[in-house]
């Protein structure tokens, strides 16, 4: 029962001044074999700290097998990033228990949580209470459309900071600033800075990060963890992943 949790390990790394790099694999985008191969080579670079699995719209019915094949392929943590309460699997180590606090849709604030809670308990995976904040990025994201919520205005850093602080006061364990998968622009650095200044809990930033330079700016603004997903489907995706991984590792060493 007193085993260190995934969250403990993340907090410990951050306390040591280390940044983290997580990659996201959407079961709709890769075959089981492809996903396992990508996860394995990501782990072998030594600069990817965890694999997230999930998606806004799950068209395939292989979720559990998908998680299982990645679990078998790697020894780094496998963490669920579910679009809804159906995306759960006992083969994962943990689940981001996401509350879409940028929106006002009760389904994403409590509805899916109630459905998921007994399942998570039964499966024995670690729930990590995560304040999920969707940020305007110049295009309608899948999260925006599927959740029927509005993203936070990108020029209003103070509004984002107030949401993040509210989440911390409500006892949430992580804040996740999300521009949306394939976003034309990532979360603005000014917003990351403002959120970082006001909260003490770890800060994840994802969406639209495609190169080392962008990753460096986001880390410098105060992100603790960077997530990329989409680019792994693209030509040169593995190289971009390595480049970002090196930046994240180097950053940890410098600071
Ligand atoms: C995870 O949605 C992101 O937060 C992933 O975004 O696919 O744009 O890397 P990309």
């Amino acid at each position: 029962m007193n085993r260190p949790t995934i969250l403990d390990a993340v907090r410990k790394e951050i306390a040591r001044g280390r940044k983290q790099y997580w990659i996201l694999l959407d079961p709709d985008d890769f075959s089981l074999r492809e996903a396992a191969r990508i996860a394995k080579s990501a782990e072998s670079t030594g600069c990817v700290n965890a694999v997230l699995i999930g998606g806004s719209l799950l068209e395939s019915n292989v979720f559990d097998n998908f998680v299982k094949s990645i679990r078998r392929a790697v020894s780094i943590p496998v963490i669920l990033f579910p679009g809804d309460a159906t995306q759960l699997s006992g083969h994962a180590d943990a689940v981001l228990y996401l509350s879409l606090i940028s929106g006002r849709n009760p389904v994403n604030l409590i509805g899916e949580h109630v459905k998921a809670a007994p399942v998570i308990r039964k499966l024995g995976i670690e729930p990590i209470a995560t304040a999920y904040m969707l940020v305007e990025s110049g295009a309608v994201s899948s999260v925006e459309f599927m959740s029927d919520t509005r993203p936070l205005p990108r020029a209003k850093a103070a509004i984002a900071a107030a949401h993040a602080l509210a989440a911390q006061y409500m006892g949430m364990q992580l804040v996740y600033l999300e521009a949306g998968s394939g976003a034309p622009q990532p979360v603005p650095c000014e917003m990351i800075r403002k959120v970082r200044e006001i909260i003490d809990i770890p800060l994840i930033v994802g969406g639209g990060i495609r190169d080392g330079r962008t990753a460096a700016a986001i880390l410098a603004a105060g992100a603790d963890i960077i997530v990329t997903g989409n680019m792994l489907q693209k030509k040169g995706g593995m190289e971009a992943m390595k480049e970002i991984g090196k930046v994240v590792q180097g950053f940890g060493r410098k600071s």
Side-chain angles (χ1 to χ4, degrees):
M1 215 50 218
N2 286 334
R3 266 188 310 145
T5 63
I6 300 289
L7 183 65
D8 289 335
V10 167
R11 285 177 174 152
K12 212 164 146 193
E13 282 299 284
I14 293 170
R16 289 172 60 210
R18 310 300 291 259
K19 305 279 186 179
Q20 297 224 339
Y21 181 27
W22 296 359
I23 58 161
L24 168 65
L25 296 173
D26 183 331
D28 281 341
D29 295 336
F30 304 98
S31 68
L32 300 192
R33 202 176 289 170
E34 238 178 342
R37 182 183 53 76
I38 291 173
K40 210 175 200 150
S41 41
E43 180 177 47
S44 73
T45 64
C47 48
V48 171
N49 306 93
V51 180
L52 291 183
I53 301 175
S56 297
L57 172 73
L58 207 66
E59 293 172 8
S60 55
N61 57 359
V62 294
F63 193 79
D64 196 55
N65 280 337
F66 191 90
V67 179
K68 189 176 174 184
S69 74
I70 291 174
R71 170 66 300 152
R72 284 191 176 153
V74 297
S75 52
I76 52 178
V78 174
I79 304 172
L80 304 177
F81 181 51
D84 62 36
T86 64
Q87 296 178 30
L88 294 169
S89 164
H91 299 293
D93 300 297
V95 53
L96 297 186
Y97 200 57
L98 300 167
S99 298
L100 185 56
I101 64 157
S102 51
R104 299 294 181 268
N105 186 344
V107 169
N108 308 110
L109 292 166
I110 182 66
E112 292 298 312
H113 307 65
V114 173
K115 292 187 209 161
V119 183
I120 291 172
R121 186 163 191 264
K122 212 175 272 171
L123 294 174
I125 47 180
E126 173 191 342
I128 304 176
T130 304
Y132 193 44
M133 295 167 51
L134 183 61
V135 178
E136 202 179 48
S137 70
V140 176
S141 64
S142 305
V143 178
E144 175 178 353
F145 187 80
M146 296 304 289
S147 66
D148 201 11
T149 65
R150 293 170 72 186
L152 294 164
R154 55 187 291 117
K156 305 282 183 188
I159 293 182
H163 278 72
L165 185 60
Q168 180 172 309
Y169 286 169
M170 286 192 287
M172 297 206 185
Q173 296 161 312
L174 299 177
V175 168
Y176 193 141
L177 290 175
E178 170 72 273
S181 188
Q185 311 175 79
V187 175
C189 286
E190 175 56 17
M191 185 181 281
I192 298 168
R193 254 189 297 278
K194 278 259 159 40
V195 169
R196 174 73 288 160
E197 270 166 31
I198 210 160
I199 58 166
D200 309 307
I201 54 181
L203 176 59
I204 308 176
V205 178
I209 303 169
R210 288 179 272 270
D211 55 55
R213 216 165 134 220
T214 310
I218 285 173
L219 293 171
D224 298 303
I225 300 166
I226 287 219
V227 179
T228 68
N230 204 266
M231 70 183 195
L232 288 168
Q233 287 168 266
K234 309 252 157 73
K235 203 162 170 263
M238 277 314 254
E239 285 66 38
M241 185 194 75
K242 283 182 204 154
E243 181 196 323
I244 293 173
K246 273 201 192 120
V247 168
V248 177
Q249 272 197 336
F251 207 96
R253 291 216 185 87
K254 263 186 275 160
S255 47

